[in-house]
mmCIF file of all heavy atoms in Angstrom:
data_model
loop_
_atom_site.group_PDB
_atom_site.id
_atom_site.type_symbol
_atom_site.label_atom_id
_atom_site.label_comp_id
_atom_site.label_asym_id
_atom_site.label_seq_id
_atom_site.Cartn_x
_atom_site.Cartn_y
_atom_site.Cartn_z
ATOM 1 N N GLY A 985 161.682 -67.222 64.410
ATOM 2 C CA GLY A 985 162.738 -66.727 65.285
ATOM 3 C C GLY A 985 162.528 -67.076 66.744
ATOM 4 O O GLY A 985 161.408 -67.119 67.233
ATOM 5 N N LEU A 1026 138.513 -69.876 66.854
ATOM 6 C CA LEU A 1026 138.125 -70.548 65.608
ATOM 7 C C LEU A 1026 139.109 -71.640 65.217
ATOM 8 O O LEU A 1026 138.731 -72.644 64.612
ATOM 9 C CB LEU A 1026 138.022 -69.523 64.470
ATOM 10 C CG LEU A 1026 136.786 -68.642 64.441
ATOM 11 C CD1 LEU A 1026 136.875 -67.655 63.284
ATOM 12 C CD2 LEU A 1026 135.521 -69.483 64.304
ATOM 13 N N THR A 1042 158.327 -54.394 58.562
ATOM 14 C CA THR A 1042 158.620 -53.263 57.682
ATOM 15 C C THR A 1042 157.606 -52.151 57.913
ATOM 16 O O THR A 1042 156.450 -52.415 58.260
ATOM 17 C CB THR A 1042 158.577 -53.707 56.218
ATOM 18 O OG1 THR A 1042 157.278 -54.238 55.917
ATOM 19 C CG2 THR A 1042 159.637 -54.770 55.930
ATOM 20 N N ASN A 1044 155.272 -49.634 59.364
ATOM 21 C CA ASN A 1044 154.621 -49.506 60.657
ATOM 22 C C ASN A 1044 154.079 -50.838 61.157
ATOM 23 O O ASN A 1044 153.159 -50.882 61.956
ATOM 24 C CB ASN A 1044 153.471 -48.481 60.562
ATOM 25 C CG ASN A 1044 153.104 -47.900 61.915
ATOM 26 O OD1 ASN A 1044 153.982 -47.640 62.737
ATOM 27 N ND2 ASN A 1044 151.813 -47.723 62.150
ATOM 28 N N ALA A 1114 131.625 -61.270 45.221
ATOM 29 C CA ALA A 1114 131.330 -62.667 45.546
ATOM 30 C C ALA A 1114 132.610 -63.497 45.508
ATOM 31 O O ALA A 1114 133.506 -63.244 44.705
ATOM 32 C CB ALA A 1114 130.310 -63.230 44.565
ATOM 33 N N ASP A 1145 138.797 -57.743 38.279
ATOM 34 C CA ASP A 1145 139.133 -59.157 38.201
ATOM 35 C C ASP A 1145 140.373 -59.376 37.355
ATOM 36 O O ASP A 1145 140.570 -58.720 36.331
ATOM 37 C CB ASP A 1145 137.946 -59.910 37.581
ATOM 38 C CG ASP A 1145 138.062 -61.406 37.745
ATOM 39 O OD1 ASP A 1145 138.882 -61.835 38.560
ATOM 40 O OD2 ASP A 1145 137.337 -62.136 37.050
ATOM 41 N N ASN A 1208 132.061 -87.608 33.730
ATOM 42 C CA ASN A 1208 131.848 -87.221 35.133
ATOM 43 C C ASN A 1208 131.373 -88.378 35.998
ATOM 44 O O ASN A 1208 131.619 -88.411 37.197
ATOM 45 C CB ASN A 1208 130.841 -86.068 35.202
ATOM 46 C CG ASN A 1208 131.435 -84.760 34.700
ATOM 47 O OD1 ASN A 1208 132.638 -84.653 34.543
ATOM 48 N ND2 ASN A 1208 130.599 -83.774 34.446
ATOM 49 N N GLY A 1237 146.608 -57.291 28.243
ATOM 50 C CA GLY A 1237 145.397 -56.662 27.744
ATOM 51 C C GLY A 1237 145.449 -56.329 26.268
ATOM 52 O O GLY A 1237 144.558 -55.645 25.747
ATOM 53 N N ILE A 1240 144.707 -60.019 20.477
ATOM 54 C CA ILE A 1240 145.407 -61.134 19.853
ATOM 55 C C ILE A 1240 144.592 -61.664 18.684
ATOM 56 O O ILE A 1240 143.381 -61.458 18.595
ATOM 57 C CB ILE A 1240 145.695 -62.269 20.857
ATOM 58 C CG1 ILE A 1240 144.394 -62.757 21.513
ATOM 59 C CG2 ILE A 1240 146.679 -61.826 21.913
ATOM 60 C CD1 ILE A 1240 144.591 -63.915 22.459
ATOM 61 N N ASN A 1247 139.451 -74.336 13.389
ATOM 62 C CA ASN A 1247 139.564 -74.106 11.957
ATOM 63 C C ASN A 1247 139.693 -75.441 11.235
ATOM 64 O O ASN A 1247 140.721 -76.120 11.353
ATOM 65 C CB ASN A 1247 140.785 -73.235 11.668
ATOM 66 C CG ASN A 1247 140.871 -72.817 10.213
ATOM 67 O OD1 ASN A 1247 140.191 -73.378 9.353
ATOM 68 N ND2 ASN A 1247 141.708 -71.830 9.922
ATOM 69 N N PRO A 1289 175.035 -79.834 34.440
ATOM 70 C CA PRO A 1289 174.598 -79.932 35.841
ATOM 71 C C PRO A 1289 173.205 -80.558 35.914
ATOM 72 O O PRO A 1289 172.286 -80.149 35.209
ATOM 73 C CB PRO A 1289 174.588 -78.477 36.310
ATOM 74 C CG PRO A 1289 175.582 -77.799 35.430
ATOM 75 C CD PRO A 1289 175.467 -78.468 34.091
ATOM 76 N N ASP A 1298 154.889 -83.986 42.060
ATOM 77 C CA ASP A 1298 155.595 -84.197 40.804
ATOM 78 C C ASP A 1298 157.076 -84.400 41.110
ATOM 79 O O ASP A 1298 157.598 -83.874 42.094
ATOM 80 C CB ASP A 1298 155.450 -82.990 39.868
ATOM 81 C CG ASP A 1298 154.009 -82.750 39.442
ATOM 82 O OD1 ASP A 1298 153.206 -83.698 39.521
ATOM 83 O OD2 ASP A 1298 153.689 -81.610 39.055
ATOM 84 N N VAL A 1322 155.080 -89.715 32.682
ATOM 85 C CA VAL A 1322 155.562 -88.411 32.229
ATOM 86 C C VAL A 1322 154.393 -87.438 32.126
ATOM 87 O O VAL A 1322 153.362 -87.739 31.521
ATOM 88 C CB VAL A 1322 156.275 -88.531 30.871
ATOM 89 C CG1 VAL A 1322 156.559 -87.146 30.291
ATOM 90 C CG2 VAL A 1322 157.568 -89.313 31.014
ATOM 91 N N ASN A 1324 155.145 -83.830 31.406
ATOM 92 C CA ASN A 1324 155.586 -83.000 30.287
ATOM 93 C C ASN A 1324 157.101 -83.007 30.218
ATOM 94 O O ASN A 1324 157.786 -83.403 31.173
ATOM 95 C CB ASN A 1324 155.039 -81.565 30.378
ATOM 96 C CG ASN A 1324 155.481 -80.849 31.630
ATOM 97 O OD1 ASN A 1324 156.669 -80.720 31.910
ATOM 98 N ND2 ASN A 1324 154.522 -80.341 32.407
ATOM 99 N N HIS A 1398 144.867 -86.156 18.805
ATOM 100 C CA HIS A 1398 143.858 -86.909 19.549
ATOM 101 C C HIS A 1398 143.718 -88.306 18.944
ATOM 102 O O HIS A 1398 143.646 -88.453 17.712
ATOM 103 C CB HIS A 1398 142.478 -86.225 19.487
ATOM 104 C CG HIS A 1398 142.340 -85.046 20.377
ATOM 105 N ND1 HIS A 1398 142.397 -83.754 19.932
ATOM 106 C CD2 HIS A 1398 142.154 -84.962 21.721
ATOM 107 C CE1 HIS A 1398 142.241 -82.917 20.947
ATOM 108 N NE2 HIS A 1398 142.096 -83.621 22.038
ATOM 109 N N ALA A 1448 124.013 -77.535 21.160
ATOM 110 C CA ALA A 1448 124.977 -77.524 22.260
ATOM 111 C C ALA A 1448 125.449 -76.100 22.542
ATOM 112 O O ALA A 1448 125.573 -75.687 23.703
ATOM 113 C CB ALA A 1448 126.167 -78.417 21.918
ATOM 114 N N ILE A 1481 133.777 -65.354 31.483
ATOM 115 C CA ILE A 1481 132.831 -66.349 31.988
ATOM 116 C C ILE A 1481 133.530 -67.136 33.082
ATOM 117 O O ILE A 1481 134.651 -67.612 32.891
ATOM 118 C CB ILE A 1481 132.350 -67.280 30.864
ATOM 119 C CG1 ILE A 1481 131.436 -66.506 29.913
ATOM 120 C CG2 ILE A 1481 131.618 -68.490 31.427
ATOM 121 C CD1 ILE A 1481 130.974 -67.290 28.710
ATOM 122 N N ASN A 1502 137.829 -83.292 34.063
ATOM 123 C CA ASN A 1502 138.904 -83.935 33.318
ATOM 124 C C ASN A 1502 139.382 -83.103 32.129
ATOM 125 O O ASN A 1502 140.562 -83.147 31.778
ATOM 126 C CB ASN A 1502 138.450 -85.308 32.806
ATOM 127 C CG ASN A 1502 138.206 -86.287 33.943
ATOM 128 O OD1 ASN A 1502 138.839 -86.208 34.988
ATOM 129 N ND2 ASN A 1502 137.275 -87.214 33.751
#
Side-chain angles (χ1 to χ4, degrees):
L1026 283 178
T1042 59
N1044 202 39
D1145 193 15
N1208 288 346
I1240 57 177
N1247 187 345
D1298 296 339
V1322 170
N1324 60 56
H1398 283 103
I1481 290 176
N1502 293 330

